[in-house]
Amino acid sequence: MEMTGAEIVWECLLREGVDLVFGYPGGANLPIYDALTKYGQIHHVLPRHEQGAAHMADGYARATGKVGVAMATSGPGATNLVTGLATAMLDSSPIVCLTGQVPTPAIGYNAFQEADITGITLPITKHNYLVTSVDELAFSIREAFYIARSGRPGPVLIDLPKDVQTSTTEFQYPTDPIRLPGYRPVPTALPEQIEEARKLIRSAERPVILAGRGVLLSGACAEVVAFAEHIETPVGLTLLGKGCFPENHPLCLGMMGMHGTGEANHAVQEADLLLAFGMRFDDRVTGNLATYAPKARKIHIDIDPSEINKNVEVDVGIAGDLRETLDFLLDGLETLEHGPWIQRIATWRDESMERELLNQVLDSPVLKAAEVVHDLWTLTGGEAITVTDVGQHQMWVAQYYEHSQRHALITSGGMGTMGFGLPAGIGAAMGRPDDEVWVVAGDGGFQMTMAELATAMQEKVKVKIALINNGYLGMVRQWQELFYEKRYNATPMLSPDFCALAAAYGVPAVRVEQRDQIESAVRQARAHDDGPFLIEFVVQQHDVVFPMVPAGADLHDMIRRPRSEASETEEPTP
Ligand SMILES: Cc1ncc(C[n+]2csc(CCOP(=O)(O)OP(=O)(O)O)c2C)c(N)n1
């Protein structure tokens, strides 16, 4: 059937199973918006900024495992997607962004609202396309979805000049298998690598599994639990790996790295074997590479061969799908026991418990953010999807909300994008309308994208917002406190009255200033079934996330919480 490029866009989206699109119109994509009239099956959401559209698509993708779709016009619309694309790229999130572009004859002449968006986004997309003929359009869209979701997922951008949108062609959705020379999304482990890995596992006395987002993406959570139990090996989690291994499991070490647990970081540094599963040895996980896990042989399994030997040189590097590779590895591997090693780790865990804030008697009446997150965890039964912004509150969510379900923590790990939380939470809640979704944001990051409250209201999205207001750009203030002699330049923040602000958007809101008010506020938010709800938690201003490995320091060189927070005189101890 003869169709315009604009109609073909929607036809292709339907064929890819898309029923929700986050986008913003403008001159260069108006034909696409005009054609939307015929496609009532697709729900279009108008964010208040294109960055919001990209994060919504990303949050939707992370919560559902499907590809999220965002749209923008050319020039400033397209460049507003950039932060969202980079965020999705670093966290391997599958999104497809469709941008309008000036007509093909005008490209390269600084036409009105022209930006070379394929050039700009080349390093922050898994792939991108500038479609110059309507005849290529359907193929490009189909390939884009395939690339976004296959192998290691990631964002793909398709730039659509206006004349391509208005030209016509005979539309037929391509059905041939996709063959892309040089693109082998799922490599397979070689038998000799598997055997080599088994040998190292058998000879290890102090093994540790490092589990990352790849475990979640390959659907290998049950396999990792079975594997860890089979070889009695403790499991440390990356921030993005949270949810892949039950945190109440006796073998779970909790999070590793800069704000990881003492026991996880000590175990890595003392291990004689690391088994890295679907993680990429990010610098926030390793600390100083020169002293990282100095006693350990290393096995690395990742679907992306370019990650192997990139940051950390390994003894056995296996490029392959984790679930499949673990099946191979387990086959023929006898059960193993590491009692003395588990005992040693228990002593580090005991030390952490002694320093644990929640085990201390605090004489301060001021609410602590960690208490808020802990209470949110208990009051929601640990069942909510938590979507965070970036900063101290993000780390407290990672530490105090135990995530034991797949896709239960949605956070910008690699890019650390402030402003991610609210729009990503809207996307997640729209993708999982029957689940409880909480956005936890700081007063700084929230103000970067808070205009999306209007989107949440317009769409009646049942997202609950825990705004942790400490009056500062808290994480930066923490660095200033610890490493810049308390010179708090550019971190104190004057904020609006958040409850009044929410009210201006029509969003119900309450303020909490004491711990005994948390429960009733959270109950109110949970009972609200008709759109967003905001709780502003006014918390201690000068608070610090412990433990902390200073940037670039050795992983075992953690700044620990003083044994008693109540004694204000005790300084943090290295
Ligand atoms: C877009 C962006 N700009 C700057 C930063 C640097 N940064 C990291 S954390 C942080 C402070 C965040 O403050 P807030 O949102 O209030 O959260 P808190 O740390 O207080 O929990 C800043 C400025 C960033 N991560 N992202």
Side-chain angles (χ1 to χ4, degrees), residues 552-568:
D554 305 339
L555 192 59
H556 50 271
D557 194 9
M558 285 168 275
I559 303 174
R560 306 299 299 264
R561 180 187 301 285
R563 281 178 201 274
S564 167
E565 282 261 314
S567 70
E568 294 286 329

Side-chain angles (χ1 to χ4, degrees), residues 70-101:
M71 285 187 180
T73 190
S74 65
T79 56
N80 276 350
L81 294 173
V82 165
T83 303
L85 284 164
T87 305
M89 182 71 178
L90 277 204
D91 290 350
S92 310
S93 182
I95 63 171
V96 168
C97 292
L98 297 123
T99 45
Q101 180 55 282

Side-chain angles (χ1 to χ4, degrees), residues 412-428:
S412 168
M415 192 71 174
T417 304
M418 283 172 73
F420 174 81
L422 179 60
I426 292 172

